[in-house]
Amino acid sequence: MFFYLFNIVSAFAGGIINAILFYFRHFDSSSVVLKLILTFCSGFVSAFLIAFILIWIFFIIAAGAVNPNKEYNTVSKFYHWVFVSWYEYINCISRVKIKTSGMDKIPFGTRFLIVSNHRSAFDVFVQAVVLKKEPVGVISKPENFNLPLAKGFMTRNLYLSLDRDDVKKALGTILKAISLLKNNVTSISVFPEGTRSKNGILGEFKPGCLKVAESSLCPVVVAVMDGTQNVSKNFPFRKTIVNFDVIKVYSSEDIKKTNTIDLSAEIRQLMLDKLGK
């Protein structure tokens, strides 16, 4: 929100300053009101673009300062703030309005595993903003780490690459996630479908991802998101309402009493009941 407000305030300031300067130079001119309006608009657009460019330069420099080949084991408060601010900025620019429910169920202050459905690339953007008081490392596919700007932020915020085609690397990722949770470093997010749903229907779950909770005995937060699949279709002319609902939290004691296959089936049914498909 900070960078979005900076962008808008800078634009208004630029428009007002431009209009004031014009007025004092041409106060005796005819049609001064119309010219003032046009001058304000010109200043607004120019300042907006300048602020927009400065914001992106800041993001690029911050991301470029991260060593992508280094393995980080701690959360950086600065990079957490920058990454969440970047997500907020993208959401605002994309006209995304988030509505939440069940947030009081989340055990903030305790590291947890959050599982949710996956319908769009915006799922991560929304989740990060909703959970901004809690550092959350997302288990993501390797291709996402090749994105130029995102790579630095993802690495520094303890996002984990999961290569399903390489069993050894995949096991290493799961063990890393377990270690981060056990050592109270960061919470972890996973999409048990393994990939985005292209038709809006909840896909089959991969129970193996819940081994993270089983081995670390951390709480499991179950959430569903709806509406993110409409962002690209609505932008830029329509606002998109995205619902983020926390439907259940499993305690560590609950995890001890079940296994990953049964837990996966139960969580999927909870999501189906909430989403309707």
Side-chain angles (χ1 to χ4, degrees), residues 50-187:
I50 291 171
F52 180 85
I53 292 170
L54 289 175
I55 288 169
W56 281 96
I57 288 175
F58 171 77
F59 285 143
I60 291 170
I61 292 173
V66 178
N67 181 356
N69 299 316
K70 180 179 178 181
E71 183 175 340
Y72 294 91
N73 295 299
T74 58
V75 173
S76 164
K77 290 183 179 180
F78 171 73
Y79 274 98
H80 173 66
W81 172 77
V82 172
F83 207 20
V84 170
S85 296
W86 183 52
Y87 280 143
E88 286 181 323
Y89 184 68
I90 298 298
N91 283 337
C92 289
I93 291 294
S94 303
R95 304 190 66 196
V96 173
K97 181 176 177 57
I98 304 171
K99 295 184 177 182
T100 63
S101 70
M103 293 296 292
D104 56 311
K105 299 174 185 176
I106 299 178
F108 287 115
T110 301
R111 302 309 184 204
F112 53 81
L113 177 72
I114 180 166
V115 296
S116 59
N117 61 313
H118 198 14
R119 291 184 169 182
S120 164
F122 271 87
D123 292 339
V124 178
F125 290 43
V126 169
Q127 188 181 91
V129 171
V130 169
L131 302 175
K132 61 183 177 182
K133 66 171 70 174
E134 177 79 18
V136 179
V138 179
I139 295 179
S140 183
K141 61 184 180 181
E143 293 86 341
N144 290 336
F145 286 82
N146 295 326
L147 299 173
L149 182 59
K151 184 176 182 178
F153 288 134
M154 292 170 71
T155 300
R156 193 61 192 89
N157 283 278
L158 305 182
Y159 280 41
L160 303 174
S161 174
L162 181 65
D163 188 349
R164 298 186 186 277
D165 296 327
D166 189 318
V167 176
K168 185 176 180 180
K169 287 184 179 179
L171 178 60
T173 297
I174 297 299
L175 293 176
K176 177 71 173 179
I178 292 169
S179 174
L180 291 172
L181 285 165
K182 277 188 171 181
N183 292 306
N184 200 37
V185 177
T186 184
S187 292

Side-chain angles (χ1 to χ4, degrees), residues 1-19:
M1 189 63 73
F2 169 79
F3 290 103
Y4 181 73
L5 290 175
F6 171 76
N7 212 161
I8 297 300
V9 170
S10 297
F12 271 105
I16 291 171
I17 291 171
N18 208 30

Side-chain angles (χ1 to χ4, degrees), residues 227-242:
T228 53
Q229 70 276 13
N230 299 322
V231 177
S232 58
K233 292 185 290 185
N234 292 343
F235 179 79
F237 301 109
R238 295 175 59 189
K239 181 186 295 184
T240 301
I241 304 297
V242 174

